[in-house]
Amino acid sequence: AHLLRKASLLPFTIRSPRLIVSSEFERAALVRKIPWIASRVRVIPIASNIASTSVPADCRRVPSVIYFGLIMPEKGLEDFVRLARIVRAQRRPWELEIIGKIAPGREQYARQMIASTLDLDIQWTIDLDAEQVHRRLIRSRLAYLPYPDGASERRGSLKSVSAAGLPCITTRSRQTPADLLNIVAIAATPDEAFIRASFLMENDGEWRRLSHAALNRSLTVTWPGIAESHIRLYNEYLQSRNGSGAHR
């Protein structure tokens, strides 16, 4: 909505603008709202913010479910805690871990969440650097990232777990692209997530399929490739304004 409000002002502020969005869903939403910008919107996706050094072929995956992301309300953390309660009630011997950073101004929320989970044996791992996060991800068996508005190309945390070859259980919405469904398991509720997790803990074949699909998809979107896409777009824009050769 914020992007749409800003874009609606563009005719009065910028000549021949080029807009960059991170997904086809965002592009379609903009074009529905402002049809005249259809030819000026370019989709350039984001990549993982956690640099993937590698995923060793023999890395040992422990039976665990992790959450990775900002510690703040309305990011799906509450549903992860609900899943944790189901796991403990069903006496599954899985490790449960929350990895992330506390969002500025959300320290009280974080303290309350930690206090509310003391009986669940959840490991809270806060403020790791990128390399440490990657090491935690590649030792884990599953991720549960229940985004309130659904998985999409904009989710840096989903990109990071995919780059670690970590199958992810997540949520779906209108903004979830069809090809993303090939690398994740969909669960609308924590109860459904528990069923999916139980299956993937025991079914090595399906686990490997999702792991390999996630890794392969992550290799198609990299920051160097994204930089090249930006350079091409800027050169096109300069050429359209100046009518001259490529600029760097």
Side-chain angles (χ1 to χ4, degrees), residues 44 47 84 98 126-128 131 135 154 204 219-220 231 235:
I44 301 179
I98 293 169
I126 307 298
D127 290 335
L128 299 183
E131 182 179 350
R135 287 203 299 266
R154 299 183 296 110
D204 287 338
L219 295 175
T220 66
I231 290 170
N235 281 336

Side-chain angles (χ1 to χ4, degrees), residues 1-10 26-34 37:
H2 178 64
L3 185 58
L4 289 172
R5 287 194 296 271
K6 290 181 67 176
S8 66
L9 300 176
L10 285 171
E26 291 172 303
R27 182 186 183 281
L30 278 171
V31 172
R32 281 196 303 271
K33 179 75 173 180
I34 317 166
I37 65 171

Side-chain angles (χ1 to χ4, degrees), residues 146-200:
Y147 303 110
D149 56 350
S152 73
E153 292 289 358
R154 299 183 296 110
R155 300 300 182 185
S157 52
L158 179 56
K159 303 265 184 170
S160 295
V161 302
S162 295
L166 184 55
C168 182
I169 302 167
T170 187
T171 48
R172 180 183 186 178
S173 71
R174 290 189 301 116
Q175 65 179 322
T176 306
D179 66 325
L180 190 61
L181 301 178
N182 295 325
I183 71 164
V184 299
I186 297 298
T189 66
D191 289 284
E192 288 185 12
F194 175 74
I195 295 171
R196 304 289 183 272
S198 298
F199 175 75
L200 289 169

Side-chain angles (χ1 to χ4, degrees), residues 83-94 191 194 198:
L83 172 65
R85 294 200 176 279
I86 298 169
V87 169
R88 297 307 180 220
Q90 295 296 322
R91 301 184 182 279
R92 298 301 171 91
W94 305 343
D191 289 284
F194 175 74
S198 298

Side-chain angles (χ1 to χ4, degrees), residues 29 35 60-61 93 101 134 141 145 149 161 166 172 185 187 220 224:
R60 179 175 175 270
R61 302 275 185 169
K101 292 183 180 294
H134 184 65
R141 175 81 173 185
L145 305 180
D149 56 350
V161 302
L166 184 55
R172 180 183 186 178
T220 66

